[in-house]
Amino acid sequence: MKTSYKLLAALCVAGLTSAVVPTVSVAAEMGGMMAGSPAGTWKFTGPGRGGNPGAEVTIKLDYKDGKLTGVQAASEGPRGPQPEQAISDASFKDGVVAFSISREFNGNVRVTKYSGKLAGDTITGNIEAPGRGGDPTPVKSEWVAKRSH
C-alpha cells in the first residue's frame, strides 16, 4: 500500500511540473513584457538644444524570434509635428539594446544612434546624433528610458 501512495505522489508531482513548464516556455516565446525582453513602450526625455529642456519621446519596441523591431511614436517637436518613424540597425544582445532612427529635415538626413543596457523596466545608455550646423563632431548625451505599462 505504501508503494501505491509513493507512486501516486510521484505522478502528481510529475503532472504539476509538466503543467507549469509549458506555461513558462509559452510566455518566453511570446517575446512580450517578460523580464529580460526589451519589448514594450518606452518613454524618456530627449535632450534639448542649447541647454533647453527636451521633449518626451516614446519608443515602441517588439522582440520576437531574436529580432528587435520598433518605431519612435509621432510627436510634436520644436520643428513641428514629427511622424512615426521605424527604427533601423536594431539589435538586442547580452542585455544591450541598440538601434538607429533616421529623420529628414529640409533635404538632410540625420541618423541618431541609441544604445543602452536593459535592467528590468529601465534602459540606460547613450545617444549619438550628428553635429549641428555642419560640425562633424557628434553630439552625445545620456538617456534613461522607463517602460510604461
Side-chain angles (χ1 to χ4, degrees):
M1 193 70 155
K2 272 188 174 179
T3 304
S4 297
Y5 287 120
K6 287 182 182 179
L7 180 60
L8 181 60
L11 288 173
C12 286
V13 168
L16 287 174
T17 303
S18 65
V20 171
V21 172
T23 303
V24 172
S25 65
V26 167
E29 288 175 11
M30 289 173 60
M33 305 282 268
M34 298 236 356
S37 171
T41 300
W42 299 86
K43 295 187 180 223
F44 64 96
T45 300
R49 283 181 85 173
N52 292 320
E56 183 175 82
V57 177
T58 301
I59 304 281
K60 297 176 183 176
L61 298 177
D62 194 17
Y63 186 65
K64 289 183 183 171
D65 300 325
K67 186 175 179 181
L68 182 64
T69 59
V71 296
Q72 179 176 342
S75 64
E76 185 65 38
R79 296 181 180 170
Q82 301 295 314
E84 179 177 277
Q85 184 65 44
I87 66 172
S88 60
D89 302 322
S91 65
F92 179 61
K93 184 176 180 184
D94 298 327
V96 175
V97 175
F99 57 89
S100 298
I101 296 178
S102 298
R103 293 230 183 247
E104 185 177 341
F105 298 106
N106 297 327
N108 297 314
V109 177
R110 294 179 49 90
V111 178
T112 304
K113 298 176 183 179
Y114 296 78
S115 178
K117 183 77 173 171
L118 173 66
D121 287 336
T122 304
I123 299 173
T124 304
N126 297 296
I127 300 172
E128 184 177 303
R132 295 184 177 100
D135 185 351
T137 307
V139 176
K140 297 181 181 183
S141 57
E142 294 181 357
W143 68 303
V144 177
K146 299 285 184 182
R147 191 183 329 244
S148 66
H149 296 280

